[in-house]
Amino acid sequence: QVQLMESGGGLVQPGGSLRLSCAASGTSSINVMGWYRQAPGEQRTFVAFIIDGGRTNYADSVKGRFTISRDSAENTVYLQMNNLRPEDTAVYFCRGWSTTNTRDYYWGQGTQVTVSS
């Protein structure tokens, strides 16, 4: 019922910035949207989330460097990534989920972020 589409990934040098976007379409009971990332050979890990009321949470590894936000219509979520490091290199996935229905969750296809000099 929900489709998530990420965009904004690319190749940047260490210290650079990128802003990822996740556009949501469809309807569901999801009330949280977040970002995860997965590097080659590693498990997918949590990056950040934002709930309907605006509360946010971040992984310690990105706190102070990344900012998650939504547009006024709350149909697009962003991840502003500053001071990027090589260890931030990963495929970044948008995820939407419900806190009331644990089976209602959706993943985007992912967008590649590569941080390299």
Side-chain angles (χ1 to χ4, degrees), residues 5 8 11 13 20 40 52 57 59 64 77 82 86 92 102 104 109:
M5 184 174 295
L11 173 64
Q13 294 184 336
L20 307 182
D52 286 351
N57 193 42
V77 64
N82 297 326
Y92 283 71
T102 60
D104 195 8
Q109 290 183 300

Side-chain angles (χ1 to χ4, degrees), residues 2 7 15 17 22 34-35 42-45 51 57-58 70 73 83 92-93 98 100 102 105 107-108 110 116:
V2 170
S7 62
S17 298
C22 175
W35 292 92
E42 300 182 6
Q43 65 180 357
R44 191 171 299 182
T45 59
I51 63 174
N57 193 42
Y58 299 90
R70 295 180 298 186
N83 193 23
Y92 283 71
F93 296 89
S98 172
T100 60
T102 60
Y105 62 92
W107 289 99
S116 176

Side-chain angles (χ1 to χ4, degrees), residues 13-50:
Q13 294 184 336
S17 298
L18 285 174
R19 187 173 73 165
L20 307 182
S21 299
C22 175
S25 61
T27 58
S28 76
S29 63
I30 61 171
N31 62 321
V32 190
M33 296 186 70
W35 292 92
Y36 289 69
R37 64 187 182 185
Q38 186 169 19
E42 300 182 6
Q43 65 180 357
R44 191 171 299 182
T45 59
F46 166 77
V47 175
F49 73 69
I50 185 167

Side-chain angles (χ1 to χ4, degrees), residues 99-117:
T99 58
T100 60
N101 183 356
T102 60
R103 296 184 178 182
D104 195 8
Y105 62 92
Y106 305 88
W107 289 99
Q109 290 183 300
T111 185
Q112 177 71 48
V113 172
T114 303
V115 185
S116 176
S117 59

Side-chain angles (χ1 to χ4, degrees), residues 56-84:
T56 60
N57 193 42
Y58 299 90
D60 288 342
S61 59
V62 307
K63 191 173 297 183
R65 299 187 298 120
F66 292 10
T67 303
I68 189 170
S69 62
R70 295 180 298 186
D71 64 11
S72 58
E74 300 185 352
N75 62 350
T76 303
V77 64
Y78 305 94
L79 185 68
Q80 178 67 45
M81 305 184 294
N82 297 326
N83 193 23
L84 284 161

